[in-house]
């Protein structure tokens, strides 16, 4: 019996097969790409239970470096493009590293994650029934089995999503030529291009901004594209002193709050 080729999870176009490769060193998995928006997805993800024996894959040695860098870039976006006095939610926040970093800088961040225990941002769990100035989600999009379902959940929480995921290179790389496929851990099942995110922005009535590689934003706000690119480049770091001078760290006040809450 011939298996029906799936439709693109982003734009519903007919997909084309691009390669098969071994995932978790044991499962021969078919990968597809959309000829319309260049989104890449796998076949039905039957190996995920095994892939998620731990929510943090063992090869992710960049978790702390990534959080440090992203906290600085996100601080610049909040400082200059958003209401820095608002409340923010880190969605799929893992152990709470990013939430704690952002509170230490001085932004009112809260944590949410369905699958990982909050270790570092305890006491600052998000209220999922309210609206936030912005939602951050780093290294999350590539895990989505049903991207539009996840997007709709996040858009209910905020009109601005700040996120990271590596864009599919041009030309499309073979499995051995792009580490981001993550075939050794099997958790990455969705891969986006600029056109994929433009399709998403069009569908929901958002603006899409990107540094062209890894750092992105979907928002209802119409902002200067060049300013976004500047803030998310290494040159944007010259403005970091303004962030630290105008925002009061919550490190001590959070400690006092948590001590009194016991």
């Amino acid at each position: 019996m011939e298996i029906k080729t799936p439709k693109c999870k982003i734009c519903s176009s007919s997909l084309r097969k691009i390669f098969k490769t071994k995932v978790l060193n044991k499962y021969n998995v078919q990968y597809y790409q959309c000829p319309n928006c260049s989104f890449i997805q796998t076949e039905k993800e039957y190996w995920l239970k095994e892939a998620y024996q731990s929510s943090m894959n063992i090869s992710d040695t960049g978790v702390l470096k990534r959080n440090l860098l992203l906290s600085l870039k996100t601080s610049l976006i909040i400082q200059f493009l958003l209401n820095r006095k608002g409340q923010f939610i880190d969605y799929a926040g893992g152990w709470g590293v990013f939430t704690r970093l952002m509170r230490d800088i001085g932004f009112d961040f809260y944590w949410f994650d369905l699958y990982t225990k909050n270790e570092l941002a305890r006491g600052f769990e998000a209220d999922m029934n309210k609206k936030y100035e912005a939602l951050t989600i780093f290294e999350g999009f590539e895990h989505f089995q049903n991207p539009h379902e996840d997007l709709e959940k996040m858009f209910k929480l905020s009109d601005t999503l700040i996120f990271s995921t590596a864009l599919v290179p041009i030309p499309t790389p073979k499995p051995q030529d792009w580490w981001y496929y993550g075939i050794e851990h099997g958790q990455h099942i969705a891969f986006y291009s600029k056109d994929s995110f433009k399709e998403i922005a069009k569908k929901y009535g958002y603006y899409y901004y990107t540094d062209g590689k890894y750092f992105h934003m979907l928002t209802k706000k119409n902002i200067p594209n060049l300013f976004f690119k500047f803030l998310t480049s290494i040159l944007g770091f010259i403005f970091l002193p303004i962030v630290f001078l105008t925002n009061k760290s919550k490190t001590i006040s959070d400690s006092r709050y948590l001590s009194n809450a016991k």
Side-chain angles (χ1 to χ4, degrees):
M1 180 178 177
E2 186 178 352
I3 299 175
K4 187 177 179 180
T5 302
K7 298 290 186 181
C8 176
K9 292 180 178 180
I10 301 301
C11 70
S12 299
S13 297
S14 296
L15 298 172
R16 60 182 178 86
K17 296 178 180 179
I18 51 172
F19 59 76
K20 276 190 176 182
T21 191
K22 283 198 179 297
V23 171
L24 293 172
N25 295 312
K26 61 195 297 188
Y27 301 113
N28 202 24
V29 175
Q30 179 69 59
Y31 285 66
Y32 301 88
Q33 188 166 32
C34 177
N36 178 50
C37 72
S38 298
F39 180 74
I40 295 175
Q41 64 193 64
T42 65
E43 64 179 277
K44 183 70 175 175
E45 311 89 347
Y46 55 83
W47 62 91
L48 289 185
K49 185 175 181 180
E50 184 175 344
Y52 282 102
Q53 291 182 13
S54 170
S55 61
M56 300 288 289
N57 79 73
I58 194 171
S59 62
D60 188 8
T61 56
V63 59
L64 291 181
K65 179 181 179 182
R66 181 172 66 247
N67 275 279
L68 286 168
L69 180 60
L70 289 170
S71 70
L72 298 178
K73 289 193 174 190
T74 303
S75 294
L76 289 167
I77 294 298
I78 291 173
Q79 181 76 28
F80 294 103
L81 298 177
L82 303 174
N83 174 17
R84 64 187 179 89
K85 298 295 185 181
Q87 292 187 324
F88 305 87
I89 177 172
D90 189 35
Y91 194 91
W95 297 323
V97 175
F98 188 80
T99 298
R100 186 64 259 163
L101 284 170
M102 296 304 287
R103 294 190 68 83
D104 289 343
I105 292 170
F107 297 110
D108 198 12
F109 258 80
Y110 295 86
W111 171 96
F112 171 76
D113 196 311
L114 279 174
Y115 306 105
T116 308
K117 185 179 178 182
N118 180 10
E119 296 285 359
L120 298 176
R122 285 175 291 175
F124 300 100
E125 290 79 13
D127 179 350
M128 302 305 286
N129 294 310
K130 68 183 299 180
K131 198 88 168 179
Y132 292 87
E133 173 68 10
L135 177 152
T136 55
I137 174 167
F138 299 117
E139 294 304 286
F141 273 70
E142 58 280 359
H143 297 263
F144 292 161
Q145 289 180 265
N146 301 292
H148 285 297
E149 289 183 13
D150 288 288
L151 281 161
E152 287 165 11
K153 290 176 184 177
M154 292 187 289
F155 287 146
K156 288 180 180 178
L157 293 165
S158 183
D159 289 335
T160 296
L161 309 188
I162 301 168
F163 59 100
S164 68
T165 193
L167 293 175
V168 176
I170 301 172
T172 302
K174 297 184 183 303
Q176 67 271 19
D177 295 331
W178 194 35
W179 66 275
Y180 208 69
Y181 286 126
I183 58 176
E184 75 284 352
H185 57 72
Q187 294 183 1
H188 289 189
I189 56 173
F191 310 90
Y192 306 75
S193 68
K194 285 184 184 179
D195 287 340
S196 305
F197 287 123
K198 287 177 181 177
E199 286 283 341
I200 290 169
K202 181 180 178 182
K203 176 179 174 64
Y204 294 101
Y206 279 65
Y207 296 97
Y208 169 59
Y209 302 96
T210 178
D211 68 355
K213 296 179 181 179
Y214 181 72
F215 193 86
H216 317 274
M217 184 162 74
L218 285 163
T219 181
K220 292 284 190 179
K221 300 176 186 293
N222 187 0
I223 62 176
N225 189 52
L226 286 177
F227 193 37
F228 179 88
K229 284 184 174 292
F230 177 81
L231 289 175
T232 55
S233 73
I234 193 67
L235 294 175
F237 283 15
I238 64 173
F239 287 152
L240 281 173
I242 297 174
V243 172
F244 290 101
L245 286 170
T246 57
N247 297 282
K248 184 179 180 181
S249 173
K250 297 182 181 296
T251 307
I252 301 302
S253 60
D254 282 356
S255 178
R256 290 171 179 162
Y257 165 76
L258 293 169
S259 296
N260 292 330
K262 290 181 179 179

